[in-house]
Amino acid sequence: MKELILDHLVHSYNSLEDPNFLQYGYIKVYAEVADYLAQRLPDQNLRVLYVGGGGYTLARHIEATYPNARQEIMEIDPGVTQTVYEQLGVSPSTTHITTYNVDGRLMLNQLVDANAGQYDLVIGDAFNDLSIPYHLTTLEFDQQIRRALKPGGFYLALVIDKMVGGKFIPAYTDTVLQVWPAVQVLSDGDTWQSASASTYVVAAGDLAVAPERLARVHGLGFNNTVATHIMPGDQMHAWLDDAHAPILTDDYAPVDNLIAPIFAERGF
């Protein structure tokens, strides 16, 4: 087992022997939604784009599980990619994963301009709890992500915040809701009343993730149960109404202020 540590956080756990080992709950959520999509595709030929590569943990799993998948990773730091090649189980000579060591927004603009509507799944994994690139949170960026997706595709973004009392996650969720008709908050547990910082996945698409279809995916929870929980829709909308959060735009995205309570609680 190897860990990728950036700043103060362990970003990934990678088993060199088993690419299907997924430690973090949010990665299991990503993987279950990927299976949700793959089941409807001929030859399970998923097309996946990542905003942020981290340890390439999910990409390794998808490459091992769906041999016909095509994956592209936008990872701004070439040192991270080199570390993945040297230490974390991805061989540049045999992998079919394409990496762009370019800022995610700049690369996304190029990909959309060249060929819009080509991805089944876009994974946002560029945020951690204390470092959030504001230009990847905005309405305008989300509009570009939507242009990149095929009809019926999903955008899944990791957000680390407090569900109760957090300021960033409601602003981020409400911003995404301005762009897509179906937005859900997912987690690997029922933590909708939690006042502690945790990991959540904001899911956006033309259609919502359907619980009855989700129940048929390859479960990655305890005893192969489905790990993904969906925040009830009425609860989500009541939570957003109570939050009175700002919509994040290129002209106004105060993400540092919104995440500042987490800094304060940790004594930074």
Side-chain angles (χ1 to χ4, degrees):
M1 185 68 61
K2 291 202 172 185
E3 302 174 358
L4 175 66
I5 300 174
L6 299 172
D7 301 321
H8 69 294
L9 291 177
V10 178
H11 278 244
S12 68
Y13 292 92
N14 282 23
S15 167
L16 301 188
E17 296 77 25
D18 182 9
N20 292 316
F21 173 82
L22 306 177
Q23 173 73 18
Y24 282 138
Y26 77 92
I27 297 287
K28 295 177 182 179
V29 172
Y30 285 158
E32 289 180 351
V33 176
D35 194 56
Y36 180 100
L37 290 169
Q39 289 182 9
R40 73 178 189 188
L41 296 172
D43 301 320
Q44 298 183 328
N45 55 343
L46 276 172
R47 185 81 183 269
V48 187
L49 178 67
Y50 298 79
V51 187
Y56 287 43
T57 309
L58 179 66
R60 288 181 69 223
H61 163 74
I62 287 178
E63 185 166 54
T65 306
Y66 313 107
N68 294 323
R70 293 177 294 165
Q71 301 186 87
E72 296 162 78
I73 295 179
M74 303 182 296
E75 170 53 58
I76 193 171
D77 188 346
V80 169
T81 301
Q82 192 61 36
T83 299
V84 169
Y85 289 161
E86 294 175 356
Q87 300 289 335
L88 297 180
V90 177
S91 170
S93 63
T94 60
T95 186
H96 297 295
I97 301 166
T98 300
T99 297
Y100 309 109
N101 290 131
V102 181
D103 173 83
R105 184 149 180 185
L106 293 176
M107 192 66 225
L108 177 67
N109 290 342
Q110 293 180 40
L111 294 171
V112 169
D113 287 345
N115 189 5
Q118 58 184 313
Y119 298 101
D120 300 289
L121 182 61
V122 177
I123 297 289
D125 200 3
F127 308 157
N128 67 39
D129 57 343
L130 301 179
S131 177
I132 301 172
Y134 83 90
H135 65 303
L136 305 181
T137 71
T138 68
L139 179 77
E140 292 85 355
F141 179 69
D142 293 341
Q143 289 169 337
Q144 286 291 81
I145 292 285
R146 189 171 185 187
R147 289 185 62 206
L149 284 171
K150 295 177 183 176
F154 287 115
Y155 175 40
L156 306 179
L158 169 68
V159 178
I160 304 174
D161 200 359
K162 299 185 296 181
M163 185 59 63
V164 177
K167 297 183 180 300
F168 174 60
I169 187 170
Y172 183 79
T173 304
D174 218 359
T175 300
V176 172
L177 195 56
Q178 309 306 305
V179 178
W180 279 274
V183 174
Q184 297 160 296
V185 179
L186 314 179
S187 178
D188 66 319
D190 184 355
T191 55
W192 317 128
Q193 302 297 332
S194 176
S196 299
S198 188
T199 56
Y200 299 93
V201 173
V202 177
D206 298 324
L207 299 172
V209 176
E212 64 277 9
R213 274 189 58 201
L214 183 65
R216 296 196 294 269
V217 305
H218 175 65
L220 294 165
F222 181 71
N223 284 341
N224 297 319
T225 57
V226 174
T228 302
H229 291 65
I230 303 173
M231 187 179 189
D234 55 349
Q235 185 176 351
M236 186 190 82
H237 286 284
W239 165 67
L240 292 176
D241 288 343
D242 290 342
H244 302 291
I247 302 302
L248 306 173
T249 69
D250 286 351
D251 291 331
Y252 183 71
V255 295
D256 289 343
N257 291 339
L258 295 173
I259 209 65
I262 303 293
F263 277 89
E265 287 181 3
R266 296 183 184 176
F268 288 106

